[in-house]
Amino acid sequence: MAEVSYKEAGVDIDAGNALVEAIKPAVKSTFDPNVIGGIGSFAGAYALPGGYKEPVLLAATDGVGTKLKLAIESGRYDTVGIDLVAMCVNDLICNFGTPLFFLDYYATGKLDVEAAKSVIEGIAEGCRQSECALIGGETAEMPGMYSEKDFDLAGFAVGIAEKGEMNRLGRVKAGDKLVALPSSGIHSNGFSLVRKLLFEKLGMAFDDEFDGKPLIETLLTPTRIYVKTFKALKDRINALAHITGGGLVENLPRVLPENLHAEIDTAKIRVLPIFKMMGQYVAKEEMYRTFNMGVGMVLVVSPDHLSYVLEHSDGYEIGELIEGPKGVTLR
């Protein structure tokens, strides 16, 4: 029997090495003085920053979901890396963690160096936006597990917090105001419903014009990263909730004590055009349980800090907290 190589089995080690070389400039652009070493070691190293009385490390992991299918099918790879970082770091800040560093995992059936480079450059851009370092990652070529063009992403973010600042429940009071920070679009949740409605039910195409540009550009708009806003306002915020899958009704209660209820005036929400269009075919309750509806993050703010928060962000008031069982009422 003739000899068989790893490449014939579907794994190209040379392509993997070429990718590492191609991404080095983007990765290094995320480094800060706490990064120890460079790319290519067995693990990434990061020195803990000083200035904390009781430092606590926090970690978050997430993916991009079926939004990746749209990136793959359209051949547009430059934004989903930003989504990957956003979904992780936006969770970290809800526990008052400041992102420190990020790791990624890229799995594919056959490594396309240019496509992977574009994805990882997006990850580096997300890290720059969130002021954290991309200190490591893994690329796995797995023929037979994925079709040749398919790939999947996983991200892992580590942050640091002051232990005494992490538990926000005691700071949240009746009368606190709810401030919405606008989303940039659908972000990275609900894309199974998006694809089912737009492409299967309505027969739309990527190049169809929507809101003045091709539909695919609206759908692939990357998730907004709120880290810098958090850093600027953290001393004026009682709590914050990342509005992802489950929408306002399931994510906002995660930052409420058992005796407080959130009342939201949906007429005040600046619903994005894509949600208005889909809302013609999907029940309102389903829309609010699946999508962010234009609200990417909700800040819980004391009345005496409301003016400052509104003046120093693009947020706007959508409701308040009242005494009652933990939950959310949309009215």
Side-chain angles (χ1 to χ4, degrees), residues 27 30-37 43-49 52 56-62 84-90 92-93 97-104 123-124 126-128 130-137 154-161 227 231:
V27 173
T30 72
F31 284 6
D32 61 37
N34 293 317
V35 177
I36 301 172
Y46 193 92
L48 286 180
Y52 289 83
V56 175
L57 292 180
L58 300 88
T61 183
D62 211 335
L84 185 68
V85 177
M87 296 303 290
C88 297
V89 298
N90 285 345
L92 276 184
I93 62 176
T98 298
L100 297 177
F101 59 85
F102 193 84
L103 304 168
D104 70 87
I123 294 172
C127 287
R128 289 190 293 269
S130 53
E131 299 178 330
C132 69
L134 178 57
I135 67 168
F156 312 88
V158 172
I160 190 168
V227 172
K231 288 181 176 180

Side-chain angles (χ1 to χ4, degrees), residues 7-320:
K7 188 171 184 178
E8 285 179 290
V11 178
D12 189 341
I13 295 174
D14 291 333
N17 292 335
L19 175 62
V20 171
E21 289 302 314
I23 64 174
K24 278 184 176 180
V27 173
K28 288 182 178 179
S29 74
T30 72
F31 284 6
D32 61 37
N34 293 317
V35 177
I36 301 172
I39 305 168
S41 187
F42 289 96
Y46 193 92
L48 286 180
Y52 289 83
K53 296 178 181 177
E54 294 183 278
V56 175
L57 292 180
L58 300 88
T61 183
D62 211 335
V64 180
T66 57
K67 188 174 187 178
L68 283 180
K69 289 292 289 182
L70 299 183
I72 293 165
E73 291 168 2
S74 65
R76 296 171 180 244
Y77 304 109
D78 59 330
T79 60
V80 288
I82 300 173
D83 288 301
L84 185 68
V85 177
M87 296 303 290
C88 297
V89 298
N90 285 345
D91 279 352
L92 276 184
I93 62 176
C94 291
N95 288 94
F96 267 58
T98 298
L100 297 177
F101 59 85
F102 193 84
L103 304 168
D104 70 87
Y105 178 75
Y106 182 105
T108 185
K110 182 175 177 57
L111 183 59
D112 179 330
V113 173
E114 285 305 311
K117 177 174 178 283
S118 185
V119 170
I120 296 169
E121 285 175 344
I123 294 172
E125 171 59 24
C127 287
R128 289 190 293 269
Q129 289 183 24
S130 53
E131 299 178 330
C132 69
L134 178 57
I135 67 168
E138 175 68 12
T139 302
E141 196 170 19
M142 298 192 290
M145 288 289 290
Y146 299 90
S147 67
E148 284 197 357
K149 288 187 177 181
D150 280 346
F151 65 90
D152 200 4
L153 295 174
F156 312 88
V158 172
I160 190 168
E162 192 69 73
K163 185 177 181 179
E165 294 180 352
M166 290 179 59
N167 186 352
R168 313 304 297 178
L169 293 180
R171 303 169 190 251
V172 176
K173 309 291 184 185
D176 281 356
K177 304 302 180 182
L178 302 176
V179 174
L181 297 182
S183 68
S184 55
I186 300 172
H187 284 185
S188 299
N189 298 102
F191 273 88
S192 295
L193 177 53
V194 170
R195 291 164 53 239
K196 182 77 172 180
L197 172 61
L198 300 187
F199 303 113
E200 289 189 32
K201 296 292 188 182
L202 299 181
M204 299 181 75
F206 291 162
D207 292 334
D208 287 351
E209 184 175 331
F210 178 81
D211 200 30
K213 57 187 177 183
L215 174 63
I216 190 62
E217 291 187 16
T218 294
L219 299 182
L220 290 182
T221 299
T223 304
R224 178 176 170 183
I225 292 174
Y226 298 94
V227 172
K228 291 179 183 178
T229 301
F230 161 73
K231 288 181 176 180
L233 297 176
K234 63 177 294 187
D235 293 337
R236 314 272 180 154
I237 301 170
N238 293 335
L240 65 165
H242 186 197
I243 309 306
T244 55
L248 288 161
V249 293
E250 293 189 9
N251 286 290
L252 189 51
R254 297 166 70 178
V255 301
L256 301 180
E258 295 297 327
N259 65 321
L260 290 183
H261 192 87
E263 283 198 338
I264 294 176
D265 184 353
T266 56
K268 293 183 177 179
I269 293 177
R270 298 170 188 172
V271 179
L272 297 174
I274 189 65
F275 297 126
K276 290 180 180 179
M277 186 271 278
M278 290 193 294
Q280 298 175 52
Y281 309 96
V282 180
K284 181 178 179 180
E285 180 181 353
E286 184 76 2
M287 290 292 294
Y288 274 89
R289 281 196 70 214
T290 306
F291 300 114
N292 66 63
M293 300 303 290
V295 179
M297 189 79 69
V298 173
L299 311 181
V300 181
V301 181
S302 300
D304 54 339
H305 289 152
L306 179 62
S307 294
Y308 183 93
V309 168
L310 295 179
E311 289 172 9
H312 291 83
S313 72
D314 59 353
Y316 59 96
E317 188 177 352
I318 59 170
E320 67 177 348

